[in-house]
Amino acid sequence: MDGGTVEPLESLTGLLVQEAPDAVIIVRSDGTIALANRRAHGMFGYPERTLPGRSVDELVPDEIRAVHPQHRAGYLASAHPPLRRLPLRGRRCDGSVFPVEVSLAAVAAPGGEMYVTAVLRDDTAHREAEQARALLASIVQSSHDAIVTTDLDGVVLTWNPGAELLYGHPAAEMVGSPVHRIIPADRRVDEDEVLALVRLGGRLDRYRTYRRHADGSAIAVSLLVSPLRDATGTIVGVTNTARDISDREQAEARVQAVLDAAPDALLGVDADGHVVLVNAEAERMFGYPRHDLTHMAVRRLLPDGLPAASTVLRTGGDSTPLDTERLTGTATQGWATRTARRRDGGDLPVDISCSALDTGNGLIVVAAVRDITDRLAVEAEQQALRAEAEQQKMEARFQRTQRLESLGQLAGGVAHDFNNLLAVILNYAAFIVEDGAGTPFAQDAEQIARAARRGSDLTHQLLSFARREVIRPRALDVNTVVTEVHQMLQRSIGEHITLAVQTADGLPAVMADPGQLEQVLVNLAVNARDAMPGGGHLTIDTAAVWVDADHAAGRAGLSPGRYVRVRVSDTGTGMGKDVVDKAFDPFFTTKPSGQGTGLGLATVYGIITQAGGTVQIYSETGLGTTITVLMPVTDAAVTAESDQPPPVVVDGRGITVLVVEDEDALREVTERILRRAGYTVLTAADGVQALRRAKAYPHRIDLLLTDVIMPGMLGKDVAAAVVAERPDTRVLFMSGYAQPVLTTHGTLSADVHLLEKPFTSAELMQAMRAQLRHRTR
């Protein structure tokens, strides 16, 4: 540089200013920027070479721009000493404001003009770093944990208030002293190993050890040990963060004592499937000592494993038995285990329940495992006892059914012979009444006939119980029958009893004889009335029900399916179990002698079972009785009873009837009735004689009137043989025990016509006229 000559901006000095790391701005005394380097343009956000010529006031915030010229003028007017590192604020081109550190110097140019040179440094990072250091220092000072730093030789560098509180030594005493003062002698070897690890850049988290208090007592602590690095990253010491866990260890000991007292084996399993918590019962059940169980894979103990903790939380977080289906899809495949494996290889049947537990170090699954060997043995024994009890119930039910069946066979046989006798008595009494009309003999004969009719009613009840009575079922609406009976019962059960009928809408049809169903309802209503001598409530209700397999299994003869239910309930005296067990037996009654036959419920039982249904009794002494009738539903359409056309009066003259009856008296009275009506009568005492008479008779035989049950040849066999010989002969059966001509369901075939014994002459004439109506001439 020559004397008096100013180098251009591109000179070496100008290059140094332009490339300086700090922003450099030279300002004239009027505030005009004379020079600004590249860093200044970047700091304030202006394109290069655009700041010279602008006012420096544009680079300060709006709120101080008005006073900035006075500050500048005052500085220049005074002694204007250099100012260093003034904290100010700058304004960027986009209007944003930022902290800046400024150093100022005023220089007089050779011409006498004053210039101010400003060197600016962005203070944001520096201030943030200072704030961070201050915050960190505050955290360290206010931390409840003891935070101690040492150099690599173990000399204490810092000692926070938490350390003073935990160890009992003030910071002034410990800083500069060896840290071994607080390390028990038996732990110093461990500490040397930890220091060696830290020198290599390692760290330990939640390292449990002991420290010595100023009073000489031991303190259980959990340590976080990490390297202490300088600004260049070099390890220069060790940072120890300690937390007193003496109370925690005591609490954990108490918790462990509680766990050890639990009757179930408890396993805590971490996310990796390893056992981290066990109790005394787990040691006993699995046969491993505690130190072996800890960190063992849970699949060695529970072969099917356990669900993840997150899975348990998704199911609600409660204790969930593993054999309960709580999850969907394949997630349940690993759950349903009931097997635990012991150390000796043996398997135990167990119940397992799970819950999720947040330990602060992550979720674990706690499994409660219960040995159910004894429980399964008890359950097996209970199951065997239940099976035995059920078998006894089935045997008792079967014996009862057999008893009723035997009584039914006996009743049917008695009814057959009894009906023959009643038919003779009834018709001979009728002859006396007809022939001696108006005489005392006729009145006596009427009493005989009345007694015979009562006997006939009893035999019909016996046959109903024995399921041997002829029925003519059709598809019918039970509600219709109940409504008709309701009207009749209102007039007959008495004003002291309130009768209520509740019928369900849309009731399906059943296949039954309407007359017999009416008899069932009347018998049940009469029994209920007799059980309420002082008055009460009688309710009849209907409903459609579905009988499932479980319900059907407990009811003999009942199959699963749809049924119509009819219930008759009363508020009467009720029955004890001993009475209920015998209620369906014929001639069993609790009524005084002469006030009941004991056939009411027996008749109900026979009618309903013959229709494929069941009858059940529920009764409590003093509370009342409910009798439930279940009848199977039919798909057939409900049919109304067809109106019979008026009988055609048939003159018996010219009509030949072959009468086959093994009972002499009944055969004779039948022949007498027919001859009085003008019929030609052939008689036979058995089937063989009947076939012989039919074959030998030279004229037409219009009607075969045959008993059903006869020795040697049954009536249906006689009829088959006669019709085969004489196809135009009509057949009319007569019997008080018609089982041989009934179908398997106890009903008559459409082509079978039966006259039930005992019959009167009028009933005989009506039945014969009906059969002869369509005969060919």
Side-chain angles (χ1 to χ4, degrees), residues 294-311:
T294 305
H295 305 303
M296 181 181 291
V298 72
R299 286 188 179 275
R300 290 182 58 183
L301 307 174
L302 304 173
D304 293 329
L306 291 173
S310 58
T311 304

Side-chain angles (χ1 to χ4, degrees), residues 59-75:
L59 305 184
V60 299
D62 295 341
E63 61 269 20
I64 64 173
R65 186 174 299 172
V67 298
H68 192 256
Q70 289 84 349
H71 290 168
R72 182 176 61 253
Y75 174 71

